[in-house]
Amino acid sequence: MPQTKEKEKSYTVVGRGRARVDGPLKVTGRAMYASDHNFPGMLYAVPIGATIGSGKLESVDTSVAEQMPGVRAVYQRANIGKLFKVSLNEDFSGPGLAMVDENRPPFHDDVIRYYGQYIAVVVANSFEQAKAAAAKVKATYKTEKPNVRAELLSGKKGYDSSAEEMKVESERGNAEKAFGSAEKKVDVTYYLPPETHVPIELHATVAVWDGDTYTLYESTQSIVNHRSVMAQMLGVPIEKVRVISQFLGSGFGGKLWPWPHDALACAAARHLNRPVKLVLSRPQTFESAGHRPACEQRLRIGASNDGKFNSIIHDYANHTSILDDYEENCGEATPFLYGTPNLRVTSQLVRRNVGTPTSMRGPGAVPGLFALECAVDELAIALEMDPIELRIKNEPKLDESKTIPFSSRHLIECYKTGAKKFGWSKRTPDVGSMKRDGMTIGWGMAGATWMAARLAAAATVEMRDDGSARVACATQDIGTGTYTVLAAVTAEKLGITPHRVQVDLGDTKLPPGPLSGGSMATASVIPAVSEAADKAIEILKNDAVSLEGSQFYKKEPDEIEFREGKLFLKSGGEGMPFADILKKASRRTVVGQGRSESTFGAKEKTVSMHSYGAQFAEVTWEPEIARLRVSRGLTVIDAGRIINPLAGRNQVEGAFVMGIGMALLEEVQYDQRWGSPINNNLADYIVATNADHADHEVIFLDYPDYALNPMGARGIGEIGLAGVAAAICNAVYHATGKRFRRLPIKIEDLIA
Ligand code: MOS
């Protein structure tokens, strides 16, 4: 992974807080989201889901629906035509990747494996007509009892990482033996219920078929992957699919990969030769567009009396659907977060009659750290040790799981900075010992970590004769600020202000860019944009040396340098703005192209790259009125260079709100009779709102990590969620003496 290290220099754009360049478009309503696109003759599709959770579809009677006003067609297995399975290209290298979590094409067989699995789709002139007709489609089933049981392994006799069905994820030493001989230990099991992403923008697709080519306006976190998947599913060449996603009303992982409704809209558009719009209902997003699966995790940590870990055993299971193997990688952080000579991490999938789970913000590490960071707190209490002191004591010197150094890790500084800012030294450890304004106060904290990696990216940068620039990349802005990041990075490289940079993204016609997921987009695009800008500058230098009458005439390009938007002779003298050079050379633009490779392809990793953080929470508890509030939060993040601290802070604050939801509110409940997610709407599936939000402070440490890209940025977003639920649970214990190992923490359990 050869990277030219950007000279340590003071950036003028990067690292400064900057309002979104796309802000005006959003606040004036001009930003076009997928379902905002309308076309002459457009039809509306409404898919129909099975009303059983397990069984066989025996018949679908569409005769009444077909006669209803405005109905153009009702498709089901018999008449939808061929929809193909997708094969994954695992190299994550951009256009090749064709990732999908629910692999079965819609209507593929008559077996019903989850409630809401699509059995038909109505297409009509208006949405209302389609919806009315959908209600008149009658299906009959051979019904079986679905298995949507919440408990995964704990129902069985314990679970043990040595059991055969557990897959070993990471192992060193002899964890079982060391745990057996530990002086102090915890052996605790945690349960996280399924959660659903509930982005405000519903999943939407507008499929336009012109007889040869698809143009898809799609709510997706990866236009490039969406194109690959849809081309395969529809059986058309990849060049015949164009995907556009200019703005996204959040995704949180739920829009990373295509879902079955996408293929239905495309198939209908092709059959009817008309544009088709399909927007899922909120309940449908709970059924057939992914969710974070239920996770059950057993943590065993053994330590000596002075707090040094001798063993960690982390065994976990997550539910998945009947056909797909979605792995929630709960043990991701466990092998490297702490030092211990003996460790074993094992996993298992448990099948349920649910729609296929998918990534949800911080997949794997977030549930995993909830368990690990609560278990460490429980161990600290058993040891009568301060939880920060215990963590510092077990800070590893290198990544012990791979025996390679960390590229850049400042976790201890996160703990110490956070402790100081939060006032941790005033904490009295006894349960219920802290009071304020007649309320009991609890303080808890947790460590946080998230992967740092790069996906393949390509970009072009143009310098133009009016002093403006353009950057183009087929990535997308999912609400996280990618337009602004691309503007800032390009402006920094070209020595101009960001508002002179036109940013084009969200269209697969552009050079293939990364998906917006895993907090990787920023780190991925920086090297490609940097290289593209450098190449444009090289071309400009070559133009300059043939400019008669200029100071550059007949010089060698390497006698010229570019800074502050101008070319200079290294030997000194006045600079010339790039716009002037282009004008004199009768050029509208110079265009540079840049690429960077994925770190996933790297065969041997020489450094261990992750971001780190420490999160603190204060809860107030009023037992008299059974009120628990998160009153204060503080997060310290070590995520390399922060390109835009304003957007970065916004990410971490948002994540903290989501963490309050995870700890106190969110849980998808399945009806045990039918397998339906019953709280499938925003009235019953409760997420944290502004009123639930605490005062929350965000601090960024500033240690650029040049192992990942020339600006040293690792990416931010998901890490902000990683420690929140654990910090809150630990605070609740401190306030109340109740240890919650099953989320969400419910008032009825608190007062029980
Ligand atoms: Mo994130 S779960 O990678 O959108």
Side-chain angles (χ1 to χ4, degrees), residues 283-314:
Q284 283 169 334
T285 67
F286 279 74
E287 294 157 2
S288 52
H291 59 276
R292 193 201 298 278
C295 307
E296 212 166 65
Q297 307 177 61
R298 181 181 180 192
L299 249 304
R300 281 172 278 179
I301 309 178
S304 54
N305 282 326
D306 67 353
K308 198 93 189 70
F309 296 173
N310 82 346
S311 53
I312 301 179
I313 309 172
H314 188 174

Side-chain angles (χ1 to χ4, degrees), residues 26 341 369 399 455 487:
K26 287 188 172 172
L369 284 166
D399 181 336
L455 298 164

Side-chain angles (χ1 to χ4, degrees), residues 34-89:
S35 68
D36 293 334
H37 292 273
N38 295 306
F39 297 93
M42 190 174 73
L43 305 174
Y44 294 80
V46 169
I48 300 163
T51 53
I52 64 165
S54 179
K56 200 163 187 296
L57 181 64
E58 289 191 321
S59 70
V60 182
D61 179 359
T62 61
S63 55
V64 175
E66 277 168 27
Q67 299 311 311
M68 287 177 66
V71 172
R72 295 299 184 112
V74 184
Y75 296 106
Q76 52 173 306
R77 184 160 144 72
N79 62 347
I80 190 73
K82 198 85 182 134
L83 294 169
F84 300 93
K85 284 199 176 174
V86 173
S87 68
L88 171 70
N89 177 352

Side-chain angles (χ1 to χ4, degrees), residues 547-561:
L547 271 187
E548 270 185 64
S550 84
Q551 66 266 46
F552 309 111
Y553 187 54
K554 295 212 163 153
K555 300 284 181 192
E556 290 300 320
D558 63 9
E559 293 175 79
I560 305 171
E561 66 179 350

Side-chain angles (χ1 to χ4, degrees), residues 12 81 95 295 313 412 466 493 516 574 615 623:
T12 56
C295 307
I313 309 172
I412 291 180
D466 58 359
K493 293 291 293 187
S516 301
E574 291 280 288
Q615 302 200 279

